[in-house]
Every structure is written in C-alpha cells, then in structure tokens.
Amino acid sequence: MSENESSVPQSRGPAEHSVREQIVEAAEAHFSHYGYEKTTVSDLAKAIGFSKAYIYKFFDSKQAIGEAICAKTLSTMIAAVERAVADATTPSEKFRRMFKTLVETGAGLFFNERKLYDIAAYSAGEGWPSARSYCERIREILTEVVREGRESGEFERKTPLDETVHAVDLVMQPYVNPLQLQYNLDLVEEAPVQLSNLVLRSLAP
Amino acid sequence: MSENESSVPQSRGPAEHSVREQIVEAAEAHFSHYGYEKTTVSDLAKAIGFSKAYIYKFFDSKQAIGEAICAKTLSTMIAAVERAVADATTPSEKFRRMFKTLVETGAGLFFNERKLYDIAAYSAGEGWPSARSYCERIREILTEVVREGRESGEFERKTPLDETVHAVDLVMQPYVNPLQLQYNLDLVEEAPVQLSNLVLRSLAP
C-alpha cells in the first residue's frame, strides 16, 4: 500500500529510521510505565497515537520493539563498561572496573528504571539476540583484558585463554545477567570487590 | 484440651514426635504433588485425614510444616556433601567433590522432585531458618576444607581465611542456592568443574 511496505526491513532510509526511533522512544516511555509483558501492540498504538497497522510497518511484533529498546538499554551499559575499562591503566584495574561498572549499571537500572530492567531480564530469559550480543560483547571485553594481562606478564599463561575467560565469565554471570542480578542486589557493593580479588588471585602468575 | 497443648513445643515426647513425623510425611507427599504455595492447611488436613485443629496442635502454621519438610530435604543434601568430602583425600579434591555434589543433589531435586525443590527455593527466598542453617552448614564445611588445605600447605595463607571462604562461597551461591540454580541448570555439568578449577587456582600458594 505504501513505499515503506516494499522496502527491505534491514535497510530503511533516514525518514523511516526516524519514525522507528520515534516508535521506540514512545514505546520505551510507555513500557517504562506499564511494563512490557502486560502491554499489547494495540495498547501501545493507542497510547502513542499511531495506528497498529502503522507500527506493524516498522516492527514485525511486540518483541521486535522490545528488542530495539533492550538493545538501546544494553548498549548504554556496554558503553559505560568500555569507558571504565579505557580509564584504567593496568589489566587488573581494568577487570575490577569492568565488573564494578557492570554491577552498578545493572543495579541502577533495577532501582531507577525497573520496567526497563524487567524487559532486559525477560530478554535474557528468552535468549533474545539483543541479550545474547550483550553477553558476547562483555566476553570480548573480558578476553581483551585477560589477553593484555597475559602479554604484560601480570596474569598467568598456563591455563588456556578460553578456559580462563569462560570461568571468569561464569563468576560474573550472577551479577551481570539481569535475570539473576535481582537475587543478588544485597551483594552489589561487596560481591564485585570480593570476587574481583578472588579472580585476580586465580589469574596471578 | 489435651496434654499435648500444655507441653513445650521444642521438647515433645516420642509419641508426639511420631505424630509430627506422620504429618510431615503426609504433607511432603501432598506438597510434592500439589505444590506448597497453592495448598492451605485445610486442604492438607482434608487430604491426609487429620482435622485442621489436630494439625495445629503440632505446627503453628503452614510455614512450620514447610520448614520441617525443607529441613529434611536440605539435611539429605548436606549428608550427601559430607559423605563426598569424607571420601576424598586431598583438600583440593574435597572442594571439587563438595561443589559437584551440591550441584548434583540440587539439580536432582529440581528434575525429580520439582515441588520439593520449589519449597526449598521459596524457603531460600524468604530466608527461612532451615534455608539459613543449610547455608551456614555449607560454609562450615567449606571453612574446614580451606583450613585443612592451608595447614597442609596445599592452599595459600596470605588472604584472611574469612575473606577466602566468603569469596568462594559467593562463587558457589548461584549453583547452591535453589532460587538461583534454576537459572543455571544448563551449566550443572561444566560450571562446577570450570569454577572449581578457577577457585583452586586462586587458592594456590
């Protein structure tokens, strides 16, 4: 019926991009207030003043909108981690800051934007691409830090790199995965410190 | 109305002990089938053929019955851990077996007696005394293993014992606490191995 419908979903022009953004922002505001799980696309359409059909031109499903919101939220967290790591000088300090920032931004989301946190937790539980790529990016940053520590002689090199990274990633998971962080909120201060100490002892040459 | 009512709850005689046992066993069978949260004491009384008033002579509340069931379940798990630790020769091996057995018994409970697992998870979430004493006992066994390793020279002694035990306990929590284990069930094979390796590297002198 319109030009939009015939375009390829992955390669939209700037105008469409801005409409998508507009829908995502309105949906984010709506979901932050009413929650993701309980809202239908019809509710959302009514609330943000677009027709349901118009929204479906840009997003295949409610999940696609949730995905876009989740990706935005998680990429803000990743950016905070990247800044924290860039600010540190030694690999040990990079690891500490990485862990601390991940927990702080996750807990901040929980306490300040609970409904957005719930979308992130839901996405982690369902294994959405946004949640998976968040985990992959965390793992990449961690791999980089461990590799740097091995090269500078600050960390041991006997254990295969993959095994080390995987195990350290497992230690961080309960504080990084929003599905689990909610059970560990009383530990957000001490756990990153205590666990970073333990991990750094395990990484010592 | 009866002698039972005038006795001190904590020091019941053998006859009362056996009635309590009977109620706990019947309740366990009932809860394993219908779940703890959805069942009332009235439902339970009807199902096991005792009057509600009679049950209340022995237990103050549904929680008190849940507590008794939970304590039984958790003490079976503790016994399995104690046997596993006793069978091992070195402190490192004791730690590996402890972690492995905790995860295996927890996952076994989840897959074979899901309703009992749910009571254990609920008790952990609510901080029931049964769940708290389970965690304390795990920590005692862990402390004993770490202390033994320090004495034999197998583990390092620079880090304060309390700090080491606390951090290792944090590493195990997501697999030991039934509230969190349910999110980590796809990791029950690899996580205890990978995390034991990491913990033992951190404990190396």
Side-chain angles (χ1 to χ4, degrees), chain A residues 8 15 37 46 54 71 77 80 86-87 96 99 105 122 130 132 137-138 144-145 154 162 169 175 188 197 205:
Chain A
V8 181
E37 283 188 75
K46 213 172 290 170
Y54 189 68
M77 292 171 71
D87 283 351
R96 283 188 193 282
F99 200 167
T105 51
Y122 187 82
S130 51
R132 284 209 307 273
R137 183 68 193 117
I138 298 295
E144 212 32 69
V145 171
E154 201 169 316
D162 272 5
D169 202 37
Y175 304 89
V188 294
N197 288 344

Side-chain angles (χ1 to χ4, degrees), chain A residues 58-104:
Chain A
F58 297 91
F59 295 95
D60 289 344
S61 59
K62 188 177 82 163
Q63 182 181 326
I65 305 172
E67 270 281 28
I69 294 172
C70 200
K72 259 182 78 177
T73 307
L74 296 176
S75 70
T76 311
M77 292 171 71
I78 291 286
V81 171
E82 286 170 339
R83 274 196 308 277
V85 168
D87 283 351
T89 47
T90 65
S92 297
E93 199 47 34
K94 285 181 185 190
F95 176 69
R96 283 188 193 282
R97 296 228 190 154
M98 173 187 188
F99 200 167
K100 187 167 181 276
T101 307
L102 276 167
V103 175
E104 274 173 4

